[in-house]
Amino acid sequence: MKQLAILWKFSRPHTIIGSACSITALYLLSLNGQPFAAYAGVYWLTLLAALACNIFIVGLNQLVDVELDKINKPGLPLAAGTLSRRSAKFIIFSCLGIALVAAYAASAFLLLIISVIVLIGTAYSVPPVQLKKHHLPAAICITLVRGIIVNIGLFLHFNRMVNNSNSLPGFIIVLTIFIAAFSIAIAWFKDMPDTEGDAAFKFKTFPLLYNKNLALRVGGAFVIAAYIVILLWAYRTGNYFLLYTHLLLLVLFTINLFSVRLSDHTSVKRFYLRFWIFFFAAYIVFGIWAVL
């Protein structure tokens, strides 16, 4: 159990849950009312490939950042010394193999998507490229993967397998815009609790180049704008379930945004972790809507 707990912590649970929510929602949206089990094999292979790819990317990031994490995130397994570098490498490259094999078993198109994500994730973390050291390339990487490739690419993958169609319905375009805005905010919010270590290692993050308050306000403005896009689309299409649920989420997000105390490190960390709940909720709400 202790080893499983270490592996769970190493996998960065909030990113794993986010990936699981997105894959499940996109699969449900592609079914068009068909039973969940109709294409369960495709779903499970896609989920396995995505989660294994997720662990590869976050694990690689921790492997590169051991010294940085000793300052910013000392509780992570590698930084805390509860996981060896050798074990971490075994987990990371095993997950890479699992991701590629599962993707290949599902479809050549999914293999292409996972391969592109792996390349972007590697460029994000690994020197000499290490795009995460600069706030704009880092935001572009996260937005490309979480916002665009996952939503458009994986929906197309499911739609091709389930419906033999390459169409992109309006709700996928709106969801993509919504999550892309969230992804930009993630790129800025995640650096707010980490300014001490980032400054020591000369990372040019948004909160360091400007300040935490500006990162919070600009990121919050992106997310609020994203909610407004969803609300306008839902109102115009008469989709009152998505209208009322996202209106409630907007209110709760605004409360969370104005509750953070930037001078309190614990408050900033809690704000960021709560922010992921809104990310999960977007996919959960769309998934429920898909089966209503």
Side-chain angles (χ1 to χ4, degrees):
M1 291 300 295
K2 183 180 178 181
Q3 296 304 313
L4 286 175
I6 291 171
L7 177 59
W8 178 241
K9 203 167 187 178
F10 182 68
S11 72
R12 307 292 280 148
H14 58 285
T15 67
I16 288 290
I17 296 168
S19 294
C21 287
S22 61
I23 299 302
T24 303
L26 292 167
Y27 174 67
L28 291 172
L29 288 166
S30 74
L31 286 175
N32 292 321
Q34 298 179 74
F36 185 90
Y39 294 89
V42 174
Y43 166 74
W44 288 113
L45 281 172
T46 305
L47 184 64
L48 177 61
L51 296 186
C53 181
N54 196 129
I55 295 172
F56 166 76
I57 289 172
V58 299
L60 184 64
N61 188 58
Q62 290 172 72
L63 190 65
V64 172
D65 276 353
V66 175
E67 297 305 316
L68 176 64
D69 286 340
K70 287 179 181 179
I71 303 172
N72 287 342
K73 301 179 181 72
L76 290 178
L78 277 170
T82 56
L83 183 70
S84 69
R85 292 182 66 89
R86 181 177 179 182
S87 295
K89 289 178 181 179
F90 176 78
I91 294 168
I92 290 166
F93 292 108
S94 294
C95 284
L96 175 60
I98 291 168
L100 295 175
V101 170
Y104 176 77
S107 74
F109 186 62
L110 181 61
L111 177 61
L112 175 62
I113 292 171
I114 294 296
S115 299
V116 171
I117 292 173
V118 165
L119 290 174
I120 293 173
T122 302
Y124 177 84
S125 293
V126 179
V129 182
Q130 205 171 28
L131 297 174
K132 68 180 180 180
K133 293 188 72 172
H134 307 275
H135 77 91
L136 186 57
I140 290 171
C141 285
I142 294 170
T143 304
L144 271 176
V145 173
R146 287 274 180 196
I148 298 172
I149 296 174
V150 166
N151 292 295
I152 291 180
L154 291 182
F155 180 81
L156 280 175
H157 157 67
F158 283 131
N159 208 21
R160 287 158 64 111
M161 300 298 290
V162 173
N163 303 305
N164 195 27
S165 170
N166 289 314
S167 65
L168 282 174
F171 57 79
I172 290 296
I173 301 300
V174 171
L175 179 61
T176 300
I177 293 170
F178 183 77
I179 298 297
F182 256 74
S183 301
I184 293 170
I186 285 172
W188 294 337
F189 289 167
K190 74 177 181 60
D191 293 325
M192 285 166 44
D194 295 341
T195 51
E196 182 183 355
D198 290 345
F201 282 79
K202 296 182 171 55
F203 279 29
K204 296 178 181 178
T205 66
F206 195 105
L208 280 176
L209 285 178
Y210 304 99
N211 56 69
K212 290 182 183 180
N213 185 61
L214 187 61
L216 180 70
R217 302 310 168 198
V218 176
F222 267 91
V223 175
I224 290 171
Y227 274 116
I228 291 172
V229 169
I230 287 276
L231 293 174
L232 290 174
W233 173 81
Y235 178 76
R236 288 185 62 187
T237 57
N239 193 320
Y240 294 107
F241 174 77
L242 291 181
L243 177 67
Y244 294 132
T245 51
H246 282 88
L247 182 59
L248 174 61
L249 289 169
L250 172 57
V251 171
L252 294 174
F253 171 76
T254 304
I255 293 170
N256 186 45
L257 182 67
F258 286 98
S259 70
V260 63
R261 299 185 305 278
L262 293 175
S263 59
D264 184 342
H265 182 72
T266 301
S267 176
V268 174
K269 288 186 72 173
R270 286 175 179 168
F271 163 78
Y272 176 63
L273 291 176
R274 285 196 299 266
F275 179 69
W276 275 89
I277 295 173
F278 293 96
F279 184 89
F280 307 154
Y283 284 112
I284 291 169
V285 167
F286 267 86
I288 293 171
W289 173 65
V291 299
L292 288 177

